[in-house]
Each structure stands twice: as C-alpha cells, then as structure tokens.
Amino acid sequence: MTTLAVTPPEEFIEILEEHCKQCEANGKYVEAEMAKNRIKELKEQKKFMDLKDLEDRQRDENNELEETHILEFNNFNQEWDKRMNEFQVHSSQLIKALEDKHIAQHEDYRVQLEEKLPIKFKPSPELLNLKRIQVNLAKQKEYKEAHEVQVRAQKLEKVELDKFNQDRQIKMDNALEKLFQAQEKEMEALRKRIIAGENEQKKQRA
C-alpha cells in the first residue's frame, strides 16, 4: 500500500510544494515543472472534491430537512384530524341532546294542552231547547213527538260534538306547530354555530 492512498490531499500538496522548491533550488527544473503540474492537478481535484463534499452535505441536509418537514406535516395533520374528529363528535352530541330535549318538550306540552283544553263541549242554546222540549213532551206522554225531537237533538248533538272535537284538535295542532317551529329555529341556530365553528377550525388549520 502506497503513502498516496492514505495521505490527505492538503498534506500531499504541501509535500509536493516543498519538493518543488528543492528542485528549483537544485536546478532540477523538469522535476519542478512536473511537481508544479501535479500540484495544480491535486488542487483542481481538491477543489472538485470539496465542491462535491459540499453538495453531498447540502443534499444530506436537505433530505434531513425534508424528512423533518414531512414528519412535522404528518404529525400536524394527525393532530388536526384528531381535533376535527373530537369537534364532530361533540357536535353530534349537542345535536342529539337538543333532539332529546325537544322530544321531551313536545310530550310535556301535549300533556299540558290535553289538561288545559276542555274535554266536554258546551251544548248550544238550540240543543238545550230541543232537550227541554223532548222532556216536556215525554211528561205529557206525547211519546211520538218526543221521539222525533229526541232524534233531532241527537243529530244536532253529534254535529256539535264533532265540531267541538275538531276545533279542539285544531287548537292543539296549532299550539304544537308553534312549538315545533320554535324548536326548528333553535336547532337551526345550533347547526349554524356548529358550521361556523367547523369553518373556524378549517381556517386555523389552513
């Protein structure tokens, strides 16, 4: 194994420069010229090697930096995905809680309406008059006429009762519809807040 294989270029150049001076001093100009040319070649090689080392270091640093950025980017995305998932889970819980609240409100209000709205209808003066006539005819033993009035009274009572039940149901439906509309507004407001929060999360992530 030769010394050139292990001697650093800087040291070898110094050796040749010293050799060149000795050749110059001893009048060995041909050897001095050869040494000078060799020194020039070694300096060019060293310059090339230094440049290559610099490029290699820069490439390694860039690769390391890129790997670091990729790792940071992946960690960043994972963290934001986790936050978005938690936000969506929380939003779903809020919507479910509000839905349960609305169902309970609807049932409670329906029970209140059932208790508040009268169950028995109030007969009209005409119906009350027919019933009085019916009773008087029966007392007078006018049974045929009493029966005819009774039939008329029963028909009128059915009409009035049907109308009473219909009006009662309409009042209940209207009241429940107002509650439903108020609940819809409340749910829509919650959904808008959730969308705004989600957009803010996306904005922060961007």
Side-chain angles (χ1 to χ4, degrees):
M1 181 180 295
T2 62
T3 306
L4 291 176
V6 295
T7 303
E10 296 86 352
E11 293 183 12
F12 194 55
I13 290 173
E14 289 179 1
I15 293 172
L16 284 175
E17 286 178 342
E18 183 64 28
H19 176 67
C20 184
K21 290 178 182 179
Q22 291 177 358
C23 289
E24 179 184 344
N26 295 329
K28 298 179 180 179
Y29 301 121
V30 174
E31 287 187 32
E33 179 68 18
M34 292 175 60
K36 184 186 76 171
N37 292 335
R38 182 58 179 158
I39 290 171
K40 183 179 179 181
E41 291 177 1
L42 287 174
K43 286 184 176 180
E44 290 293 329
Q45 290 178 4
K46 182 178 182 302
K47 181 179 179 181
F48 174 78
M49 292 174 62
D50 290 344
L51 182 60
K52 188 174 182 303
D53 288 342
L54 178 61
E55 291 175 347
D56 290 343
R57 285 198 304 273
Q58 289 179 338
R59 185 176 60 253
D60 292 341
E61 290 175 358
N62 288 337
N63 289 338
E64 183 179 353
L65 185 61
E66 183 178 355
E67 290 176 358
T68 302
H69 285 169
I70 291 175
L71 180 60
E72 291 176 350
F73 183 72
N74 290 337
N75 291 338
F76 174 84
N77 281 334
Q78 290 176 2
E79 179 63 25
W80 271 101
D81 288 342
K82 179 182 177 182
R83 289 180 61 177
M84 286 299 296
N85 183 63
E86 291 174 350
F87 179 83
Q88 291 170 353
V89 170
H90 181 62
S91 299
S92 299
Q93 292 173 344
L94 290 177
I95 291 176
K96 180 64 168 59
L98 188 57
E99 287 175 346
D100 293 342
K101 172 188 171 185
H102 286 170
I103 292 174
Q105 281 181 340
H106 187 277
E107 181 60 24
D108 290 343
Y109 192 49
R110 188 190 64 79
V111 172
Q112 291 176 18
L113 289 172
E114 288 283 359
E115 296 174 351
K116 181 179 178 181
L117 295 175
I119 299 177
K120 294 183 179 180
F121 81 102
K122 184 178 179 181
S124 67
E126 182 183 359
L127 178 56
L128 293 174
N129 187 50
L130 285 176
K131 288 188 174 183
R132 283 195 298 269
I133 293 173
Q134 171 191 327
V135 172
N136 290 332
L137 288 173
K139 288 181 179 179
Q140 297 170 11
K141 301 189 184 304
E142 299 288 343
Y143 300 125
K144 180 180 178 181
E145 290 80 0
H147 175 69
E148 292 174 354
V149 174
Q150 182 185 44
V151 171
R152 286 172 56 194
Q154 289 173 344
K155 289 181 179 180
L156 181 58
E157 184 174 16
K158 184 178 184 307
V159 170
E160 292 184 1
L161 179 59
D162 290 344
K163 186 176 185 306
F164 168 80
N165 289 332
Q166 184 179 11
D167 291 343
R168 185 175 185 272
Q169 188 62 46
I170 290 174
K171 290 179 181 179
M172 181 175 292
D173 291 342
N174 289 339
L176 291 174
E177 178 63 22
K178 288 181 180 179
L179 173 63
F180 177 74
Q181 291 176 357
Q183 290 176 338
E184 277 292 297
K185 289 181 180 180
E186 187 178 12
M187 179 62 75
E188 182 63 21
L190 174 60
R191 293 185 188 278
K192 286 182 178 179
R193 289 199 302 273
I194 289 174
I195 292 174
E198 186 173 345
N199 290 336
E200 181 62 25
Q201 293 273 356
K202 292 178 180 178
K203 181 179 178 181
Q204 292 180 8
R205 179 173 186 169

